[in-house]
Amino acid sequence: MSSAKAIPTPDTTLPPEIAAVRALDNRIVHPWENLQQLGKNARNTIARAEGIYIYDLRGKRYIDAPAGMWCMNVGYGRREIVDAVSRQLLEMPYDSPWYFANLPSTELTERLIEYTPGDLNHVLYTTGGSTAADSALRFVLFYNSVRGRPEKRHILSRQDAYHGSTYLTASCCGKERDKIYQVFEESFIHLLPSPNPFRRARDMSVEAFCDAAVNDLESKILELGADQVAAFIAEPILAAGGVIVPPPGYQKRCLEVCRRHDVLYISDEVVTGFGRLGHIFASEPVFEVVPDILTCAKGLTAGYVPLGALFISDRLIAEASDNGARKAIFANGYTYSAHPAACAAALASLDIIEREGILEHVRDVGPYFQQKLQELRDLPIVGDVRGMGLMACVECVIGEHSDPGALTRDYALGDRIDRHCQELGLIIRPSINMCILSPPLTITREQIDETVRILRQGIERATADVRREGLWRD
């Protein structure tokens, strides 16, 4: 008989139940884990949630300003979604997507393609955003291969982009301050400069910056050769990179460049989809983009269970399967593709969005959210406040971005803001020196006021910290 594994020693300074949970949590390798901290982390443990609030084991309440991870769009405690999943699990918990159809997935497809732009009428269901983007890129390579042009395989992405955690999608991510190892061959995937107006030259107008950013795309296509470039994958707003809102007209002009050079345009709406910008999909109504492929996840099920999807245009499907194509079998899929319980959750979430007018609510309170955050510009360390709808970033700056030691300094600043905000009852998403917010879409004006008030206090306290510690002087 094998001996029992050692249980980590709980912290005796904490209540026993909290100490035991924390000790076991330190056996879990969390996403983006600092392995030097493994075994020493002091993460809070969330016990329950309701509306826009989460509660820890001590019963303390926090505003969940990141909505989990951009995903709890209709808020916590939605019994309608829970009941839909429960009923489906009892009736028929699983079917193999290789052999059978299921009713929730077919009903969900009918509902979703009412919202997709253009001729995006074919859907492939996946397990989340990473696998949706991965499948989209794989479809692009498949599409060109069956059309007899396998050399058309280069992928264009952008600095500050985030598209997922699979081997292929991680290679398309451009968060340079977050990327410590090379993932895929550089000759296959190319990162264009970030379309972040905050980082433009001081003497450059936003319009000139937009021209330059669009030219970056066309110049790279011409450099590689249009016959070699397969696709441009782009978030309408670069979410995890810091809620980077490209200059007006950038997305539409990039689509026009892609059309001129027969390069497919993939719109990654994993974050912006399902109401974050006041529409189920934002590509067409907000940015005037009708992509060739569109990916989504997160808000698709309001975060209650995992599900992702990509929508492929009728044109691409037809061209990949015509008589001239060689054996058009797209060998891609997942054990949990179109999982019936996940599709049931998505249907229930859509019902809530439509019945409660949540899209209209976002279009109503979104400008107020952005306006209130802009008031933080009077704080001395706030360098930029940007966003759209119910997604935003407050970027704090205490030195030059390119200075030696800037990354260490910025991490220290972000950690302090995060700690103070938690003490005050607000969860933000700290991304180095950036405070990212994407609250549940049901948030009210009063709750927005409270969120911004606490964030202001957190930044003020962190400012006092970095002054006292000598990290920054006015």
Side-chain angles (χ1 to χ4, degrees):
M1 183 175 9
S2 62
S3 59
K5 291 186 177 180
I7 300 297
T9 303
D11 183 347
T12 56
T13 65
L14 295 170
E17 67 278 10
I18 295 176
V21 170
R22 183 168 291 177
L24 289 169
D25 176 68
N26 271 294
R27 291 300 182 94
I28 299 172
V29 181
H30 287 255
W32 268 246
E33 185 73 88
N34 179 352
L35 296 184
Q36 292 178 328
Q37 287 295 114
L38 196 59
K40 298 175 284 188
N41 283 306
R43 289 184 180 89
N44 209 345
T45 300
I46 300 307
R48 66 184 184 91
E50 186 70 26
I52 73 162
Y53 301 104
I54 56 178
Y55 299 79
D56 66 18
L57 286 175
R58 291 184 171 94
K60 181 176 178 179
R61 189 185 80 170
Y62 306 83
I63 296 172
D64 181 12
M69 184 57 71
W70 315 91
C71 56
M72 299 302 300
N73 286 16
V74 300
Y76 295 95
R78 291 290 193 162
R79 181 166 292 278
E80 184 174 342
I81 299 177
V82 176
D83 289 345
V85 172
S86 178
R87 284 193 303 271
Q88 188 59 49
L89 289 173
L90 284 170
E91 290 174 3
M92 197 270 294
Y94 177 80
D95 84 295
S96 169
W98 272 261
Y99 305 116
F100 303 108
N102 68 69
L103 292 176
S105 69
T106 54
E107 183 182 348
L108 179 60
T109 300
E110 181 182 29
R111 296 275 295 278
L112 290 176
I113 61 177
E114 292 178 5
Y115 289 106
T116 52
D119 67 341
L120 273 68
N121 298 316
H122 289 81
V123 58
L124 189 159
Y125 289 107
T126 72
T127 56
S130 295
T131 48
D134 188 283
S135 296
L137 293 167
R138 290 173 65 184
F139 181 83
V140 166
L141 300 178
F142 160 81
Y143 166 81
N144 282 321
S145 179
V146 297
R147 296 193 68 205
R149 48 186 197 181
E151 71 286 349
K152 194 172 176 64
R153 62 193 299 268
H154 290 257
I155 305 297
L156 304 184
S157 183
R158 301 175 293 195
Q159 296 287 345
D160 290 328
Y162 181 78
H163 297 292
S165 294
T166 70
Y167 191 78
L168 178 55
T169 57
S171 303
C172 294
C173 294
K175 296 172 64 183
E176 284 304 312
R177 302 183 97 190
D178 205 19
K179 200 168 188 176
I180 59 173
Y181 59 93
Q182 184 175 330
V183 185
F184 212 74
E185 54 179 301
E186 290 183 348
S187 59
F188 174 56
I189 292 170
H190 311 268
L191 298 178
L192 306 172
S194 173
N196 184 357
F198 181 56
R199 296 292 174 196
R200 74 187 188 278
R202 293 179 182 178
D203 60 349
M204 178 180 277
S205 68
V206 172
E207 293 77 14
F209 177 76
C210 184
D211 292 342
V214 174
N215 186 62
D216 289 333
L217 172 62
E218 187 151 35
S219 295
K220 180 57 70 173
I221 293 171
L222 294 174
E223 174 193 330
L224 296 169
D227 61 336
Q228 304 289 311
V229 179
F232 174 50
I233 182 168
E235 303 160 273
I237 293 176
L238 287 72
V243 191
I244 293 167
V245 183
Y250 168 81
Q251 297 90 343
K252 181 182 179 182
R253 291 175 62 186
C254 284
L255 176 67
E256 291 167 354
V257 168
C258 289
R259 291 283 183 266
R260 278 200 299 273
H261 298 288
D262 189 25
V263 171
L264 298 183
Y265 191 107
I266 303 171
S267 188
D268 184 344
E269 288 224 45
V270 167
V271 171
T272 56
F274 297 94
R276 185 63 48 195
L277 300 182
H279 300 271
I280 294 296
F281 299 116
S283 291
E284 186 175 25
V286 180
F287 302 104
E288 299 182 78
V289 167
V290 177
D292 299 292
I293 298 174
L294 184 150
T295 64
C296 65
K298 295 192 184 294
L300 173 57
T301 63
Y304 279 69
V305 287
L307 184 66
L310 61 141
F311 297 88
I312 306 169
S313 77
D314 294 344
R315 176 181 71 86
L316 297 190
I317 293 292
E319 291 174 352
S321 58
D322 67 18
N323 292 331
R326 301 188 299 274
K327 266 199 167 180
I329 297 174
F330 182 39
N332 179 84
Y334 306 91
T335 300
Y336 300 111
S337 289
H339 191 284
C343 292
L347 286 165
S349 178
L350 269 177
D351 287 343
I352 291 169
I353 289 172
E354 293 171 352
R355 184 182 66 246
E356 296 185 6
I358 286 178
L359 300 179
E360 294 80 4
H361 175 72
V362 173
R363 295 198 291 270
D364 177 44
V365 303
Y368 183 76
F369 178 65
Q370 300 297 331
Q371 171 198 330
K372 295 300 293 183
L373 286 169
Q374 288 294 330
E375 294 175 4
L376 298 176
R377 284 185 178 273
D378 68 338
L379 297 175
I381 69 169
V382 171
D384 193 27
V385 180
R386 54 185 178 262
M388 184 180 289
L390 285 181
M391 58 189 300
C393 175
V394 178
E395 182 167 350
C396 296
V397 179
I398 55 173
E400 290 297 326
H401 187 71
S402 57
D403 283 351
L407 185 58
T408 300
R409 181 194 64 222
D410 286 348
Y411 265 117
L413 174 61
D415 288 345
R416 282 156 180 76
I417 297 172
D418 180 37
R419 184 179 69 247
H420 287 302
C421 285
Q422 285 203 39
E423 290 169 355
L424 293 162
L426 173 67
I427 304 298
I428 58 170
R429 185 183 175 195
S431 181
I432 311 179
N433 60 321
M434 298 180 289
C435 308
I436 293 175
L437 303 95
S438 56
L441 308 184
T442 54
I443 193 169
T444 65
R445 279 177 163 76
E446 293 74 22
Q447 291 167 333
I448 289 170
D449 291 343
E450 185 182 8
T451 298
V452 177
R453 177 182 59 78
I454 296 175
L455 179 56
R456 173 180 287 276
Q457 288 181 266
I459 294 173
E460 288 173 341
R461 292 185 182 186
T463 303
D465 289 344
V466 295
R467 280 176 172 148
R468 185 172 55 252
E469 295 162 19
L471 293 174
W472 179 67
R473 293 283 183 270
D474 291 80

